[in-house]
Amino acid sequence: MQEERRIAVLRAIVEDYVATEEPVGSKALVERHGLNVSPATVRNDMAALEDEGYLAQPHTSAGRVPTDKGYRLFVDRLTNLKPMSGAEKRAISTFLDGAVDLDDVVSRSVRLLSQLTRQVAVVQYPTLSRSTVRHIELVALAPDRLLVVLILSTGRVEQRLLELDTPLDDTALVDLRSLVNGVATGELISEAIVALGTLAAARPGPAASVADLLVEAMSDHRSHERLVVGGAANLARYGDSFDSAVRPLLEALEEHVVLLRLLGEASQSGTVTVRIGAEGPVQELSSTSVVTTGYGPHDNALATLGIVGPTRMDYPGTMAAVRAVARYLSRILDEG
C-alpha cells in the first residue's frame, strides 16, 4: 500500500514537473491530484523517494524534481500508453497517405512526429540490406537501350540506363524480364545479388549486362546512413537547460553518426524503446532521452524512427505518438 502510494506521488511529480517546469511541492500535489492523504504524508513519501534516488531537491526550500532513475521507474510503471484520439489518427492518416514517394513519406513522417511531440524527430531511411526485391522492370527506350527499374519492398526505386552491345526484339525483352524477375523477385537483397551473379556467369550477353547492373544497384548501401531530422526549433522550449541539454543536442544533430548511435538498432515494429539520460550510448548527451521504435512492411523492422529531447518530456504522449507514426509508416510501406 505504501509503495503504491509512493509510486502515485512520483507519477504526480513527473506529470507536474513536465507541465510546469517548476520543482513540485507537497501542498500542490495534494491539491491537484486528490491523493487522499495529508501534505505531511506526501512530504514523508517525497523524502523517502529522494533517499532512494528517484527525486532530487534543487534548493533547500524548493520542491522536488524527478531524477533519471525517477523517470525510468515512471516509464517502467506505465501500464498502457495514452491512445491517440480519433482526430489525431485521422490527421496522421491523411497527412501520410498524401505522400507521393519514399522521400516524401520520410519527410512527412519527420514533420508529423515533431509536431505531435513538440520534440526533435529523427527518421532513418529503410535499410537496403534488410529489404526484398518487389519487382524488376525492363523498358526498351530503343532496340539497344534499356531502362532498368528496381523496386524494393521499402518503396525505394532505383533506375539505371543500359546500352546493349546487341539489339533486343520484343520477344527477347519479355523473356529477359521474366528471367531476372524469376531469380530475384521476393528474395532478400543479399540472396538476390548471389542469384543474379550466378545468372550473369551462366548467360553472357544482354542477360549478364542486366544482371550486373542490378547487382550494382543493390550493392548501394548508402541508404542505411540516411537520416532526416525535423523540429530542432522545439528545443527553444528548453532554454533553462541550454548548456546541459540543448547545446550538446544541437551539436549532435549535425553528426548523423551520433544520431544513428542514439537511435540504435531497429527494434521490432510496435515495440517502443525509451533510453533516459545516461542510459544512452553518448556520454555528452546524458541530459537527453530518446524514444524509438522500428518500422517496416509486414512487421519486419527495416529502420528506426523516434524523438530526441531533454529528459523532462511527456513520456506517455511521446511514446504513443512514436508508435502511431511508425504503424502508419509501416502500413504505407506494406501497401507499396
Side-chain angles (χ1 to χ4, degrees):
M1 187 74 177
Q2 187 181 60
E3 181 184 354
E4 289 305 312
R5 190 183 68 236
R6 287 178 179 171
I7 293 297
V9 168
L10 175 64
R11 185 181 299 117
I13 290 173
V14 170
E15 292 172 356
D16 280 10
Y17 182 59
V18 168
T20 68
E21 304 177 18
E22 297 289 342
V24 183
S26 56
K27 186 179 179 183
L29 282 184
V30 172
E31 291 174 351
R32 279 199 288 258
H33 294 274
L35 297 174
N36 296 320
V37 292
S38 68
T41 300
V42 172
R43 280 195 296 273
N44 289 335
D45 288 338
M46 292 168 71
L49 288 166
E50 185 178 2
D51 289 342
E52 294 171 10
Y54 297 110
L55 298 177
Q57 190 172 25
H59 311 290
T60 307
S61 59
R64 266 62 166 203
V65 300
T67 62
D68 287 358
K69 185 178 178 182
Y71 284 126
R72 169 48 61 196
L73 182 60
F74 171 79
V75 169
D76 289 346
R77 288 299 189 102
L78 286 175
T79 53
N80 47 36
L81 295 184
K82 179 178 68 177
M84 307 296 286
S85 68
E88 287 173 323
K89 289 179 180 178
R90 286 191 296 274
I92 293 173
S93 178
T94 301
F95 190 64
L96 292 184
D97 285 346
V100 297
D101 56 22
L102 180 62
D103 289 332
D104 196 17
V105 168
V106 172
S107 175
R108 284 170 179 253
S109 298
V110 164
R111 298 206 313 272
L112 179 63
L113 197 53
S114 66
Q115 289 167 9
L116 287 172
T117 63
R118 299 180 67 208
Q119 302 285 356
V120 176
V122 185
V123 177
Q124 179 188 16
Y125 266 77
T127 304
L128 183 59
S129 60
R130 297 185 213 163
S131 56
T132 58
V133 177
R134 179 174 285 161
H135 183 66
I136 297 167
E137 188 56 61
L138 305 179
V139 181
L141 303 178
D144 59 352
R145 195 177 193 209
L146 292 181
L147 175 64
V148 181
V149 183
L150 170 66
I151 305 172
L152 302 178
S153 60
T154 59
R156 178 171 170 174
V157 177
E158 292 282 343
Q159 301 183 60
R160 300 284 193 278
L161 286 174
L162 177 63
E163 303 286 346
L164 298 173
D165 293 331
T166 55
L168 281 181
D169 59 27
D170 290 345
T171 301
L173 180 62
V174 170
D175 291 343
L176 180 53
R177 184 186 297 121
S178 176
L179 181 63
V180 293
N181 273 291
V183 300
T185 298
E187 300 292 339
L188 285 169
I189 289 295
S190 57
E191 295 167 356
I193 287 174
V194 172
L196 288 165
T198 302
L199 174 64
R203 298 283 294 269
S209 298
V210 170
D212 287 340
L213 194 68
L214 286 167
V215 168
E216 176 194 323
M218 292 179 190
S219 299
D220 180 4
H221 286 269
R222 289 174 298 172
S223 66
H224 82 280
E225 297 177 352
R226 292 184 66 190
L227 294 172
V228 179
V229 180
N234 288 321
L235 291 174
R237 295 190 297 127
Y238 298 95
D240 59 319
S241 53
F242 183 84
D243 286 331
S244 63
V246 178
R247 189 198 302 275
L249 187 48
L250 284 173
E251 293 172 354
L253 296 182
E254 299 178 4
E255 300 289 340
H256 280 192
V257 173
V258 176
L259 289 179
L260 283 166
R261 287 179 62 200
L262 281 178
L263 287 179
E265 287 296 314
S267 60
Q268 182 179 359
S269 296
T271 301
V272 178
T273 301
V274 180
R275 291 198 300 277
I276 298 169
E279 296 172 355
V282 183
Q283 186 177 358
E284 294 79 9
L285 296 174
S286 58
S287 296
T288 298
S289 286
V290 186
V291 180
T292 62
T293 191
Y295 74 89
H298 312 295
D299 292 325
N300 178 24
L302 296 173
T304 304
L305 62 79
I307 68 90
V308 185
T311 52
R312 190 186 73 232
M313 70 169 64
D314 171 17
Y315 288 97
T318 298
M319 293 165 69
V322 165
R323 186 176 65 179
V325 172
R327 283 178 173 175
Y328 278 95
L329 186 48
S330 296
R331 191 204 73 200
I332 289 170
L333 293 179
D334 219 2
E335 295 171 352

PDB file of all heavy atoms in Angstrom, residues 21 54 65-66 133 137 141 154 194 208 235 260 314 325:
ATOM      1  N   GLU A  21       7.465  22.895 -15.414  1.00  0.00           N
ATOM      2  CA  GLU A  21       8.903  23.170 -15.438  1.00  0.00           C
ATOM      3  C   GLU A  21       9.396  23.744 -14.107  1.00  0.00           C
ATOM      4  O   GLU A  21      10.456  24.361 -14.049  1.00  0.00           O
ATOM      5  CB  GLU A  21       9.261  24.133 -16.588  1.00  0.00           C
ATOM      6  CG  GLU A  21       8.811  23.638 -17.940  1.00  0.00           C
ATOM      7  CD  GLU A  21       9.096  24.626 -19.051  1.00  0.00           C
ATOM      8  OE1 GLU A  21       9.926  25.531 -18.848  1.00  0.00           O
ATOM      9  OE2 GLU A  21       8.481  24.508 -20.120  1.00  0.00           O
ATOM     10  N   TYR A  54      15.041   8.623  -6.483  1.00  0.00           N
ATOM     11  CA  TYR A  54      14.042   8.867  -7.519  1.00  0.00           C
ATOM     12  C   TYR A  54      13.721  10.359  -7.677  1.00  0.00           C
ATOM     13  O   TYR A  54      13.204  10.768  -8.720  1.00  0.00           O
ATOM     14  CB  TYR A  54      12.748   8.111  -7.208  1.00  0.00           C
ATOM     15  CG  TYR A  54      12.921   6.612  -7.203  1.00  0.00           C
ATOM     16  CD1 TYR A  54      12.843   5.877  -6.019  1.00  0.00           C
ATOM     17  CD2 TYR A  54      13.179   5.916  -8.388  1.00  0.00           C
ATOM     18  CE1 TYR A  54      13.010   4.505  -5.996  1.00  0.00           C
ATOM     19  CE2 TYR A  54      13.349   4.541  -8.376  1.00  0.00           C
ATOM     20  CZ  TYR A  54      13.267   3.835  -7.182  1.00  0.00           C
ATOM     21  OH  TYR A  54      13.436   2.471  -7.177  1.00  0.00           O
ATOM     22  N   VAL A  65      12.196  17.472  -7.931  1.00  0.00           N
ATOM     23  CA  VAL A  65      12.148  17.199  -9.364  1.00  0.00           C
ATOM     24  C   VAL A  65      12.554  15.739  -9.569  1.00  0.00           C
ATOM     25  O   VAL A  65      13.299  15.172  -8.761  1.00  0.00           O
ATOM     26  CB  VAL A  65      13.096  18.131 -10.158  1.00  0.00           C
ATOM     27  CG1 VAL A  65      12.704  19.596  -9.956  1.00  0.00           C
ATOM     28  CG2 VAL A  65      14.547  17.905  -9.764  1.00  0.00           C
ATOM     29  N   PRO A  66      12.084  15.106 -10.626  1.00  0.00           N
ATOM     30  CA  PRO A  66      12.465  13.710 -10.871  1.00  0.00           C
ATOM     31  C   PRO A  66      13.923  13.602 -11.295  1.00  0.00           C
ATOM     32  O   PRO A  66      14.465  14.486 -11.963  1.00  0.00           O
ATOM     33  CB  PRO A  66      11.537  13.285 -12.026  1.00  0.00           C
ATOM     34  CG  PRO A  66      10.503  14.365 -12.139  1.00  0.00           C
ATOM     35  CD  PRO A  66      11.126  15.617 -11.621  1.00  0.00           C
ATOM     36  N   VAL A 133      13.379  -7.779 -52.970  1.00  0.00           N
ATOM     37  CA  VAL A 133      13.078  -7.277 -54.315  1.00  0.00           C
ATOM     38  C   VAL A 133      11.589  -7.462 -54.572  1.00  0.00           C
ATOM     39  O   VAL A 133      11.071  -8.582 -54.524  1.00  0.00           O
ATOM     40  CB  VAL A 133      13.902  -8.027 -55.380  1.00  0.00           C
ATOM     41  CG1 VAL A 133      13.530  -7.534 -56.784  1.00  0.00           C
ATOM     42  CG2 VAL A 133      15.391  -7.834 -55.125  1.00  0.00           C
ATOM     43  N   GLU A 137      11.643  -4.118 -63.580  1.00  0.00           N
ATOM     44  CA  GLU A 137      11.016  -3.769 -64.863  1.00  0.00           C
ATOM     45  C   GLU A 137      12.104  -3.391 -65.867  1.00  0.00           C
ATOM     46  O   GLU A 137      13.065  -2.689 -65.533  1.00  0.00           O
ATOM     47  CB  GLU A 137      10.039  -2.612 -64.674  1.00  0.00           C
ATOM     48  CG  GLU A 137       9.207  -2.303 -65.904  1.00  0.00           C
ATOM     49  CD  GLU A 137       8.425  -3.520 -66.401  1.00  0.00           C
ATOM     50  OE1 GLU A 137       7.580  -4.049 -65.646  1.00  0.00           O
ATOM     51  OE2 GLU A 137       8.706  -3.942 -67.544  1.00  0.00           O
ATOM     52  N   LEU A 141      13.933   1.637 -74.463  1.00  0.00           N
ATOM     53  CA  LEU A 141      13.929   3.008 -74.962  1.00  0.00           C
ATOM     54  C   LEU A 141      14.337   3.036 -76.434  1.00  0.00           C
ATOM     55  O   LEU A 141      13.994   3.966 -77.162  1.00  0.00           O
ATOM     56  CB  LEU A 141      14.891   3.862 -74.135  1.00  0.00           C
ATOM     57  CG  LEU A 141      14.612   3.895 -72.629  1.00  0.00           C
ATOM     58  CD1 LEU A 141      15.670   4.726 -71.916  1.00  0.00           C
ATOM     59  CD2 LEU A 141      13.221   4.442 -72.336  1.00  0.00           C
ATOM     60  N   THR A 154      10.908  -1.724 -49.563  1.00  0.00           N
ATOM     61  CA  THR A 154      10.881  -0.492 -48.784  1.00  0.00           C
ATOM     62  C   THR A 154      10.187   0.644 -49.517  1.00  0.00           C
ATOM     63  O   THR A 154       9.953   1.707 -48.947  1.00  0.00           O
ATOM     64  CB  THR A 154      12.316  -0.023 -48.493  1.00  0.00           C
ATOM     65  OG1 THR A 154      12.986   0.184 -49.743  1.00  0.00           O
ATOM     66  CG2 THR A 154      13.061  -1.037 -47.662  1.00  0.00           C
ATOM     67  N   VAL A 194      23.422 -12.764 -55.056  1.00  0.00           N
ATOM     68  CA  VAL A 194      24.060 -14.040 -55.380  1.00  0.00           C
ATOM     69  C   VAL A 194      23.407 -14.679 -56.604  1.00  0.00           C
ATOM     70  O   VAL A 194      24.082 -15.150 -57.537  1.00  0.00           O
ATOM     71  CB  VAL A 194      23.988 -15.000 -54.171  1.00  0.00           C
ATOM     72  CG1 VAL A 194      24.471 -16.392 -54.563  1.00  0.00           C
ATOM     73  CG2 VAL A 194      24.815 -14.453 -53.008  1.00  0.00           C
ATOM     74  N   ALA A 208      23.503 -11.030 -68.874  1.00  0.00           N
ATOM     75  CA  ALA A 208      24.616 -10.736 -67.970  1.00  0.00           C
ATOM     76  C   ALA A 208      24.721  -9.239 -67.707  1.00  0.00           C
ATOM     77  O   ALA A 208      24.974  -8.806 -66.578  1.00  0.00           O
ATOM     78  CB  ALA A 208      25.919 -11.273 -68.554  1.00  0.00           C
ATOM     79  N   LEU A 235      13.471  22.839 -29.517  1.00  0.00           N
ATOM     80  CA  LEU A 235      14.419  22.910 -28.398  1.00  0.00           C
ATOM     81  C   LEU A 235      14.408  24.274 -27.726  1.00  0.00           C
ATOM     82  O   LEU A 235      14.899  24.420 -26.608  1.00  0.00           O
ATOM     83  CB  LEU A 235      15.834  22.577 -28.887  1.00  0.00           C
ATOM     84  CG  LEU A 235      16.063  21.116 -29.313  1.00  0.00           C
ATOM     85  CD1 LEU A 235      17.449  20.949 -29.907  1.00  0.00           C
ATOM     86  CD2 LEU A 235      15.868  20.172 -28.138  1.00  0.00           C
ATOM     87  N   LEU A 260      22.677   8.120 -35.388  1.00  0.00           N
ATOM     88  CA  LEU A 260      22.473   6.685 -35.645  1.00  0.00           C
ATOM     89  C   LEU A 260      22.743   5.873 -34.389  1.00  0.00           C
ATOM     90  O   LEU A 260      22.039   4.903 -34.093  1.00  0.00           O
ATOM     91  CB  LEU A 260      23.377   6.220 -36.787  1.00  0.00           C
ATOM     92  CG  LEU A 260      22.906   6.594 -38.198  1.00  0.00           C
ATOM     93  CD1 LEU A 260      24.025   6.381 -39.209  1.00  0.00           C
ATOM     94  CD2 LEU A 260      21.684   5.780 -38.591  1.00  0.00           C
ATOM     95  N   ASP A 314       7.093  14.633 -21.997  1.00  0.00           N
ATOM     96  CA  ASP A 314       5.846  13.892 -21.804  1.00  0.00           C
ATOM     97  C   ASP A 314       6.048  12.484 -22.365  1.00  0.00           C
ATOM     98  O   ASP A 314       5.793  12.223 -23.537  1.00  0.00           O
ATOM     99  CB  ASP A 314       4.705  14.616 -22.527  1.00  0.00           C
ATOM    100  CG  ASP A 314       3.411  13.799 -22.569  1.00  0.00           C
ATOM    101  OD1 ASP A 314       3.287  12.843 -21.779  1.00  0.00           O
ATOM    102  OD2 ASP A 314       2.541  14.122 -23.407  1.00  0.00           O
ATOM    103  N   VAL A 325       2.922   6.803 -35.442  1.00  0.00           N
ATOM    104  CA  VAL A 325       3.523   7.194 -36.721  1.00  0.00           C
ATOM    105  C   VAL A 325       4.242   6.003 -37.354  1.00  0.00           C
ATOM    106  O   VAL A 325       4.162   5.784 -38.566  1.00  0.00           O
ATOM    107  CB  VAL A 325       4.481   8.390 -36.531  1.00  0.00           C
ATOM    108  CG1 VAL A 325       5.252   8.668 -37.813  1.00  0.00           C
ATOM    109  CG2 VAL A 325       3.697   9.635 -36.113  1.00  0.00           C
TER     110      VAL A 325
END
